[in-house]
Amino acid sequence: MPSYTAPHKDMQFILHDWLRVSEQDIPGYEDMDRDFTGAVLEEAGKVASEVLMPLNAVGDTEGCVLENGVVRTPTGFKEAFQQMKDGGWTAMDCDPEYGGQGLPYLMHTAAQEPFSSSNMAFNMYQGLTHGAYSAIYIHGTDDQKQTYLPKMTTCEWTGTMNLTEPHCGTDLGLMRTKAEPQGDGTFKVSGQKIFISAGEHDMSDNIIHLVLAKIPGGPDGIKGVSLFIVPKFIVNDDGSVGARNGVSVGSIEEKMGIHGNATCVMNYDEATGYLLGEEHKGMRAMFTMMNEARLGVGLQGYAQAEVAYQNAVHYANDRLQGRDVTGAKFPEKAADPIIVHPDVRRNLMDQKSFVEGARAFTYWGAHLIDRVHRADDKEADGLISLMTPVLKGFLTDKGFEYATAAQQVYGGHGYIEEWGMSQFARDARIAMIYEGANGVQALDLVGRKLAQDGGKHVMAFFEMIKTFIKENDGNEALKSDFLDPLKAASKDLQAAGMYFMQNGMKNPNNALAGSNDFMHMMGHVCLGLVWAQMAKAAMEALEAGASDTTFYETKIATGRYYMARQLPATSMHLARINTGADTVMALDAANF
Amino acid sequence: MPSYTAPHKDMQFILHDWLRVSEQDIPGYEDMDRDFTGAVLEEAGKVASEVLMPLNAVGDTEGCVLENGVVRTPTGFKEAFQQMKDGGWTAMDCDPEYGGQGLPYLMHTAAQEPFSSSNMAFNMYQGLTHGAYSAIYIHGTDDQKQTYLPKMTTCEWTGTMNLTEPHCGTDLGLMRTKAEPQGDGTFKVSGQKIFISAGEHDMSDNIIHLVLAKIPGGPDGIKGVSLFIVPKFIVNDDGSVGARNGVSVGSIEEKMGIHGNATCVMNYDEATGYLLGEEHKGMRAMFTMMNEARLGVGLQGYAQAEVAYQNAVHYANDRLQGRDVTGAKFPEKAADPIIVHPDVRRNLMDQKSFVEGARAFTYWGAHLIDRVHRADDKEADGLISLMTPVLKGFLTDKGFEYATAAQQVYGGHGYIEEWGMSQFARDARIAMIYEGANGVQALDLVGRKLAQDGGKHVMAFFEMIKTFIKENDGNEALKSDFLDPLKAASKDLQAAGMYFMQNGMKNPNNALAGSNDFMHMMGHVCLGLVWAQMAKAAMEALEAGASDTTFYETKIATGRYYMARQLPATSMHLARINTGADTVMALDAANF
């Protein structure tokens, strides 16, 4: 059975050695000193290891069961969910006015990783509630906020997001679900929604569905979509749970993974709904939560790679096969552990250097979101908007790739469900799809975000890299291992941007055919940047006489690996991009 | 539900336009004209589409069930297996002396693809029998051949390979299974074997297990391993099936995929075994079949990518989301099919150009094996020995990657089991692991095959590329799109080989740390070479006035895509290789 230990030291390193959070001038950050974040993360790690991890395989094996309109979650989920509520883990960054703890989003994000690593399917119940909370928090009336938020903060009531219909997901303008105004301010919502995670289950007293629907007579397409609150049980004026609403689960899907989360077909049959935000501005309401939601999915991607990596390391140290080619490491044993073999190490270093870079990138993203919300930082707003598709697309593509790579370390045992490595890969697979499939992320990045505000944000990103390289110009310890590769990769990325500018005008396909490559390139450059910065922070800690020299030296060595072995991918992506759309678009659709 | 249609035109193109099989001076090839191979492949395709494909999901859903020591295969498997036997599909390249059809291995290989695409788990039952047949055919006594081969040719009796034990797979020297000589020429075999595909089932009258075991008193390690025939039922002198032998199934594994194939733990308890080949030469006996077995697994890799690709194309043409950015393609519809979007095309072209190149590479490999066995061609022997790890490792890594990429085209539906795309990816995953995990293939390539016979074979491969480029020097249609990229990629590969030579001497880890990259590089160069040659063949067919111009033009365009978009990966792999072992081996095992 796989195990999980939260990587506290790595988390603390990012927060304090690199981001130096408690020194940042952001309201709420002043309390985030080493002791506080350490205590929180240690406790989160404990819950993850002791409560959630043992239920991960249970969730996968039992799955959710629909009987007579009721969804039964796997054995133990209910009790574990109660522990999450009791521990206040669902309320960390929620507004104290509604019972939350008011902590920074960064702190919430950091705590989410252990939960997601140890039991992704389980953690989605609170994750979706958090998303629905945010939507109501931002767009709800005072009355709506008072009605729903206190219960959603504690997860006594959970939440869902209802976007997809059988015939449309990415293109929501095609939506058919209708919301008829009743003249009393309420609406009757009718239609079918699919792929509704946590759409129905037995772990909360009410489920607050947020549903996109069209009000008849509104504008065509995406501009006529509004957002509605449709509770499973109508909430009485006194706040108590009242009559059952016209919403029911039609079926639950058999999926490749995340079996512990009920993915439901939801049927709305004249269900009472309450408009959230403005009429026909439903997509805008959705979009305001999108940066956080997508960052959260990016986190799921690397979190699965993290837990898979941890177990692969155990296996590689335990499994005896063959001998170190430079001489037996354990001559007294029948064979050496497979971690002596260069290709096993290459694989583990790929995983390790990705996961640690991905964590830093994600924390940085969460930190930018705090800057936006807590310090009204416009530049941070532009930057996180640019980074969001990269956080989501790159980290989930790579997260799945490395969860699969970790599975490979187990040889035949990796393919046997009992060993748990298959589940990590199967669970990680969904993150590439939901919350905007990764092709859509790449399109968002290249088709929208690059040119946003006149290209200001991507220029700021390039400037940030340039400044960092310049500021550390005389740092010989950083130069050849970190600064030079970063400079080369950044140059590749800029060249790709230039290609898009010069060739995308005459034919936008010249840019879009390279969108996936650009997203990956930019992901590598982001990880290259954070690795260079983390290496510097680690070197400074060593110079300052840090006692745990092994930790900091390992951090620097891992960064070196990333720069030497992963970052050169940018040149391949650039070569592909530079071939434009011709070969991509050459065939008639009939000739595929 | 997914569908499958065998790609006849592509198969015939490779056999006749490119390889020109019936013109080759190889005994048995003279009959392989267009009509004959067309008829065989059409019939194989029909069986695949009509009989095997409908059972693919059944096998996945029902799996195999072990009850009271008996394994029940999924509904319909037994009847389908009977159809395979009746159709003579299990006997194509077997020796006519034992009831086979004596066809070239290339013909057998070509027919295997549709079977494997449409139902990989099912096709393994005959695939493993074929492997066991070959071992007995090559190493058996006349008596053993007469006893077992006629029944194995028809799959009335099936076969298995028993190598792995719980504590050893790659390093078989650690093996514990014992074979005690009984003085009468027989042995008593005792021990436990795991991961035995088709180890027990209800589709044949007998199961002929080939078991690796150690004869007490023999040499230590891998040099003391012998191979034994251990039938499930002892065969009487008159050839009839007699008493049950001391072999039984302990359990069957719950796996990520290929659920339709029973993966068994086999317990041998003083089972009667017959030595196959010489004492202590069991590994050599295994190795003689290895090229074929590994080529067969490489085929499984691309075959899953092929069926996944076919379905992704259907979906991309059906699913309406968004609009062609250069102008609506179907203004009368609510949206355009997603195949208009550049990134969907990029994805489909990646899949298509890989699969068609992989098929050609595999046919070429099978053709080399025919050259070895039918024309005693020593150069072909050296070349296929070199290519085998690439065929297995590269085609299965990429096969899984592209089965996953095809799943991505389906968006959320790709994650739902009902749509079938998950199964293709899950089934494809095993091919990266069994028959020597891909890390072992990379090690075999770089640690053994490159230097084999003084590096003669890899030099011959480079020479082959050089000659092809030189011979076509004046061909302007080929030059910039095919010859130049091939030359650049081949140069990268040679530079990597040079790096290994110069740096592997002082530290073998400098070579082994780049083994995975080298395997992938070489795979790309092989596909680049076959694409350049296929493009030439297609151009010649067009010049000769071929009527199906669309087919040949599509072939050339697909090749162009590969050269422009896939082949540049070699530069990334070279960059990684050139960094050597330092960053890979930097950490102590304890610091991962």
Side-chain angles (χ1 to χ4, degrees):
Chain A
M1 287 288 285
S3 65
Y4 172 75
T5 308
H8 294 120
K9 276 192 195 174
D10 293 293
M11 295 168 146
Q12 290 279 72
F13 170 79
I14 296 175
L15 290 175
H16 302 290
D17 291 289
W18 177 46
L19 290 178
R20 298 175 185 275
V21 286
S22 58
E23 296 168 27
Q24 302 263 352
D25 187 22
I26 302 175
Y29 270 48
E30 60 280 1
D31 299 330
M32 285 177 63
D33 60 22
R34 237 176 233 276
D35 286 348
F36 175 73
T37 63
V40 172
L41 294 175
E42 196 163 320
E43 194 55 33
K46 216 172 135 187
V47 172
S49 300
E50 295 174 10
V51 181
L52 305 190
M53 191 72 205
L55 293 177
N56 197 38
V58 176
D60 189 55
T61 313
E62 290 187 16
C64 293
V65 179
L66 172 65
E67 272 171 3
N68 308 320
V70 178
V71 171
R72 199 172 65 236
T73 51
T75 308
F77 269 41
K78 220 170 175 170
E79 294 74 15
F81 203 57
Q82 192 57 48
Q83 281 186 262
M84 295 296 283
K85 297 176 192 178
D86 294 345
W89 295 111
T90 65
M92 285 184 75
D93 67 329
C94 295
D95 191 333
E97 194 178 334
Y98 307 107
Q101 295 160 33
L103 290 168
Y105 179 66
L106 173 56
M107 195 70 240
H108 163 83
T109 300
Q112 285 297 303
E113 184 192 318
F115 301 150
S116 197
S117 280
S118 57
N119 202 325
M120 178 169 158
F122 175 88
N123 198 47
M124 289 170 64
Y125 290 97
Q126 73 148 309
L128 286 151
T129 307
H130 195 272
Y133 164 95
S134 296
I136 298 174
Y137 184 71
I138 300 168
H139 301 284
T141 61
D142 276 349
D143 194 36
Q144 287 172 335
K145 291 200 254 187
Q146 290 299 343
T147 304
Y148 299 105
L149 296 187
K151 298 283 191 184
M152 293 175 79
T153 296
T154 57
C155 274
E156 284 167 90
W157 300 352
T158 59
T160 73
M161 300 290 182
N162 292 239
L163 289 77
T164 306
E165 299 183 6
H167 65 290
C168 73
T170 300
D171 189 353
L172 290 168
L174 306 175
M175 182 174 296
R176 291 178 192 146
T177 299
K178 291 268 172 295
E180 297 275 358
Q182 299 300 301
D184 61 352
T186 70
F187 293 77
K188 291 279 181 217
V189 177
S190 298
Q192 189 178 63
K193 295 286 181 179
I194 64 170
F195 302 156
I196 309 309
S197 299
E200 177 59 43
H201 60 85
D202 55 3
M203 303 200 296
S204 66
D205 299 332
N206 202 357
I207 301 177
I208 312 306
H209 303 288
L210 299 192
V211 185
L212 285 177
K214 286 186 172 178
I215 300 170
D220 279 347
I222 199 72
K223 289 178 181 157
V225 168
S226 307
L227 186 58
F228 297 89
I229 299 173
V230 183
K232 175 177 166 183
F233 296 102
I234 303 286
V235 180
N236 296 324
D237 288 345
D238 65 356
S240 65
V241 164
R244 180 74 192 241
N245 203 352
V247 47
S248 60
V249 52
S251 60
I252 56 178
E253 308 281 2
E254 297 284 336
K255 307 184 298 294
M256 186 178 186
I258 53 164
H259 297 160
N261 198 280
T263 304
C264 301
V265 173
M266 299 302 298
N267 294 319
Y268 293 88
D269 185 14
E270 301 204 337
T272 298
Y274 312 96
L275 185 68
L276 179 59
E278 295 175 52
E279 277 191 14
H280 314 316
K281 304 276 163 133
M283 288 311 293
R284 207 172 64 182
M286 277 287 165
F287 271 109
T288 53
M289 309 174 299
M290 211 157 265
N291 289 347
E292 291 185 33
R294 290 183 171 177
L295 180 140
V297 175
L299 181 148
Q300 290 181 324
Y302 86 75
Q304 287 306 296
E306 163 70 30
V307 66
Y309 163 74
Q310 286 189 16
N311 286 281
V313 170
H314 294 320
Y315 190 84
N317 274 301
D318 283 351
R319 179 78 172 175
L320 307 180
Q321 301 284 282
R323 285 293 182 196
D324 187 329
V325 70
T326 63
K329 274 274 190 312
F330 296 89
E332 73 287 4
K333 294 187 181 174
D336 285 336
I338 61 173
I339 200 164
V340 303
H341 302 305
D343 189 60
V344 171
R345 285 200 170 236
R346 188 268 316 156
N347 185 356
L348 292 175
M349 289 301 294
D350 275 348
Q351 298 167 45
K352 179 176 174 65
S353 65
F354 162 71
V355 168
E356 293 181 21
R359 178 178 300 118
F361 184 26
T362 302
Y363 279 30
W364 180 36
H367 169 64
L368 289 174
I369 290 174
D370 278 331
R371 282 205 167 279
V372 176
H373 293 156
R374 290 173 176 254
D376 200 24
D377 182 334
K378 297 281 178 244
E379 281 174 32
D381 199 13
L383 203 52
I384 188 62
S385 170
L386 173 72
M387 293 298 173
T388 293
V390 184
L391 281 161
K392 197 281 183 182
F394 182 69
L395 298 191
T396 61
D397 274 359
K398 289 286 171 186
F400 173 70
E401 180 181 334
Y402 292 123
T404 303
Q407 182 188 20
Q408 189 73 11
V409 173
Y410 277 65
H413 295 102
Y415 201 64
I416 309 297
E417 291 294 351
E418 188 187 352
W419 290 74
M421 300 304 285
S422 162
Q423 186 188 351
F424 299 138
R426 288 185 290 100
D427 286 358
R429 183 67 184 86
I430 188 59
M432 296 159 70
I433 298 174
Y434 62 19
E435 201 53 46
N438 286 357
V440 176
Q441 303 299 329
L443 178 65
D444 179 42
L445 176 65
V446 170
R448 263 171 19 104
K449 299 296 177 64
L450 280 189
Q452 208 173 33
D453 299 323
K456 199 169 96 177
H457 312 304
V458 72
M459 294 312 293
F461 174 61
F462 288 139
E463 201 54 38
M464 182 185 298
I465 296 172
K466 216 169 117 187
T467 306
F468 177 77
I469 293 172
K470 209 171 158 189
E471 280 174 1
N472 293 283
D473 198 25
N475 189 334
E476 287 307 312
L478 276 182
K479 192 167 180 339
S480 64
D481 292 346
F482 292 93
L483 301 182
D484 291 348
L486 177 60
K487 200 172 189 172
S490 166
K491 213 177 123 193
D492 285 344
L493 187 67
Q494 291 187 54
M498 192 60 74
Y499 178 87
F500 290 162
M501 286 221 289
Q502 289 170 344
N503 299 278
M505 291 292 191
K506 52 184 181 207
N507 181 359
N509 286 345
N510 278 325
L512 298 181
S515 58
N516 179 65
D517 283 295
F518 191 85
M519 180 176 79
H520 277 260
M521 244 179 143
M522 186 144 160
H524 279 298
V525 173
C526 289
L527 261 60
L529 175 63
V530 300
W531 264 122
Q533 294 183 340
M534 289 197 293
K536 188 186 171 191
M539 289 171 188
E540 285 171 356
L542 286 170
E543 279 158 30
S547 59
D548 194 352
T549 54
T550 302
F551 173 81
Y552 290 107
E553 282 162 6
T554 300
K555 188 62 73 181
I556 296 164
T558 307
R560 265 193 206 112
Y561 181 92
Y562 193 88
M563 305 310 275
R565 289 253 167 183
Q566 302 268 44
L567 208 51
T570 56
S571 68
M572 175 189 68
H573 292 301
L574 177 60
R576 284 188 190 151
I577 286 169
N578 280 339
T579 66
D582 291 351
T583 61
V584 176
M585 307 304 286
L587 301 191
D588 281 348
N591 296 331
F592 274 85
Chain B
M1 288 288 285
S3 64
Y4 173 75
T5 309
H8 294 120
K9 276 191 194 175
D10 292 294
M11 294 167 146
Q12 290 280 73
F13 169 80
I14 295 174
L15 291 175
H16 302 289
D17 291 289
W18 177 45
L19 289 177
R20 299 175 184 275
V21 285
S22 58
E23 297 168 27
Q24 302 263 352
D25 187 24
I26 302 175
Y29 269 48
E30 60 281 1
D31 298 330
M32 285 177 63
D33 60 22
R34 239 177 230 277
D35 287 349
F36 175 73
T37 63
V40 171
L41 294 176
E42 197 163 319
E43 195 54 34
K46 219 172 132 186
V47 172
S49 299
E50 296 173 10
V51 181
L52 305 191
M53 191 72 204
L55 294 177
N56 197 38
V58 176
D60 190 53
T61 314
E62 291 187 14
C64 293
V65 180
L66 172 65
E67 271 171 5
N68 306 321
V70 178
V71 171
R72 200 172 64 235
T73 53
T75 308
F77 269 41
K78 217 169 175 170
E79 295 73 15
F81 203 58
Q82 192 58 48
Q83 281 186 262
M84 296 296 284
K85 296 176 191 177
D86 293 346
W89 295 110
T90 64
M92 286 184 75
D93 68 328
C94 295
D95 191 332
E97 193 176 335
Y98 306 108
Q101 294 159 35
L103 289 168
Y105 179 66
L106 173 56
M107 194 69 241
H108 162 82
T109 300
Q112 285 299 303
E113 183 192 319
F115 302 150
S116 196
S117 280
S118 58
N119 201 323
M120 178 169 157
F122 175 88
N123 199 47
M124 288 171 65
Y125 291 97
Q126 73 149 309
L128 286 152
T129 307
H130 195 272
Y133 164 96
S134 298
I136 298 175
Y137 184 71
I138 299 167
H139 300 284
T141 62
D142 277 348
D143 194 37
Q144 286 172 337
K145 291 200 254 189
Q146 290 300 343
T147 303
Y148 299 105
L149 297 188
K151 298 284 191 183
M152 293 175 80
T153 297
T154 57
C155 274
E156 285 168 271
W157 299 353
T158 58
T160 72
M161 300 290 181
N162 292 240
L163 289 78
T164 307
E165 299 183 7
H167 64 291
C168 73
T170 299
D171 188 353
L172 289 168
L174 305 176
M175 181 174 296
R176 291 178 194 148
T177 299
K178 290 269 171 296
E180 296 274 359
Q182 300 298 302
D184 61 353
T186 69
F187 292 76
K188 291 280 180 216
V189 177
S190 298
Q192 189 178 63
K193 295 287 181 177
I194 64 169
F195 302 157
I196 309 309
S197 300
E200 177 60 43
H201 60 85
D202 55 2
M203 303 201 296
S204 66
D205 300 332
N206 202 357
I207 300 178
I208 312 306
H209 302 289
L210 299 192
V211 184
L212 285 177
K214 286 186 172 179
I215 301 171
D220 279 345
I222 200 70
K223 288 179 181 156
V225 168
S226 307
L227 185 59
F228 297 88
I229 299 173
V230 184
K232 175 178 168 184
F233 295 102
I234 303 288
V235 180
N236 297 324
D237 289 345
D238 65 357
S240 63
V241 164
R244 180 74 192 243
N245 203 352
V247 47
S248 60
V249 53
S251 60
I252 56 178
E253 308 282 3
E254 297 285 336
K255 307 183 299 293
M256 184 179 188
I258 54 164
H259 296 161
N261 198 281
T263 304
C264 302
V265 173
M266 300 301 298
N267 294 319
Y268 294 87
D269 185 13
E270 302 205 335
T272 299
Y274 311 97
L275 185 69
L276 179 59
E278 294 174 53
E279 276 191 15
H280 314 316
K281 303 279 160 118
M283 288 311 292
R284 207 172 66 184
M286 278 286 163
F287 270 110
T288 55
M289 310 174 299
M290 211 156 265
N291 290 347
E292 292 184 34
R294 291 183 170 177
L295 180 141
V297 175
L299 181 147
Q300 290 181 323
Y302 86 77
Q304 287 306 297
E306 163 71 30
V307 66
Y309 163 74
Q310 287 188 16
N311 286 281
V313 169
H314 295 320
Y315 190 84
N317 275 301
D318 283 351
R319 178 78 172 173
L320 307 180
Q321 300 284 281
R323 286 293 183 194
D324 187 329
V325 70
T326 64
K329 274 275 190 313
F330 296 89
E332 75 284 5
K333 293 187 181 173
D336 286 335
I338 60 173
I339 200 165
V340 304
H341 302 305
D343 188 60
V344 172
R345 285 200 171 236
R346 188 268 317 156
N347 186 354
L348 292 174
M349 289 301 294
D350 275 348
Q351 298 168 44
K352 180 176 172 66
S353 65
F354 162 71
V355 168
E356 294 181 20
R359 178 179 298 118
F361 184 27
T362 303
Y363 279 30
W364 180 36
H367 169 64
L368 288 175
I369 290 174
D370 278 332
R371 283 205 167 278
V372 176
H373 292 156
R374 290 173 177 255
D376 201 22
D377 183 333
K378 298 281 178 241
E379 280 176 31
D381 199 13
L383 204 52
I384 189 62
S385 169
L386 174 72
M387 293 299 173
T388 294
V390 184
L391 281 160
K392 197 281 182 181
F394 181 67
L395 298 191
T396 60
D397 273 358
K398 289 285 170 186
F400 173 71
E401 180 181 333
Y402 292 123
T404 303
Q407 182 188 20
Q408 190 72 12
V409 174
Y410 276 65
H413 295 102
Y415 201 64
I416 309 297
E417 291 295 350
E418 189 187 351
W419 290 75
M421 300 304 284
S422 161
Q423 188 188 350
F424 299 139
R426 288 185 290 100
D427 286 0
R429 183 67 184 89
I430 188 59
M432 295 160 70
I433 299 174
Y434 62 20
E435 200 54 45
N438 287 356
V440 175
Q441 302 299 328
L443 178 66
D444 180 43
L445 177 65
V446 170
R448 261 171 21 105
K449 299 296 176 65
L450 280 189
Q452 207 172 34
D453 298 325
K456 197 168 100 180
H457 312 305
V458 73
M459 295 312 294
F461 174 61
F462 287 139
E463 200 53 38
M464 182 185 297
I465 297 173
K466 215 169 119 187
T467 305
F468 176 77
I469 292 173
K470 208 170 160 189
E471 280 174 1
N472 294 282
D473 197 24
N475 189 333
E476 286 307 312
L478 276 181
K479 193 168 180 337
S480 65
D481 291 347
F482 292 93
L483 302 182
D484 291 348
L486 177 60
K487 201 172 187 172
S490 166
K491 214 177 122 195
D492 284 344
L493 188 67
Q494 291 185 54
M498 192 58 75
Y499 178 87
F500 290 163
M501 286 220 290
Q502 290 169 345
N503 299 278
M505 291 293 194
K506 52 184 177 203
N507 181 358
N509 286 344
N510 278 324
L512 298 182
S515 58
N516 180 65
D517 283 294
F518 191 85
M519 181 177 79
H520 276 260
M521 245 181 144
M522 187 145 161
H524 279 298
V525 173
C526 288
L527 261 59
L529 174 63
V530 301
W531 264 122
Q533 295 183 339
M534 289 198 292
K536 188 187 173 189
M539 288 172 188
E540 286 172 356
L542 285 170
E543 278 158 29
S547 59
D548 193 352
T549 53
T550 302
F551 173 80
Y552 291 106
E553 282 162 4
T554 300
K555 188 61 74 183
I556 296 163
T558 306
R560 263 193 208 112
Y561 180 93
Y562 193 88
M563 305 309 276
R565 288 253 168 185
Q566 302 268 44
L567 208 50
T570 56
S571 69
M572 175 189 67
H573 292 302
L574 177 61
R576 284 188 190 150
I577 286 170
N578 279 340
T579 65
D582 290 352
T583 61
V584 177
M585 307 302 286
L587 301 191
D588 280 347
N591 296 332
F592 274 85

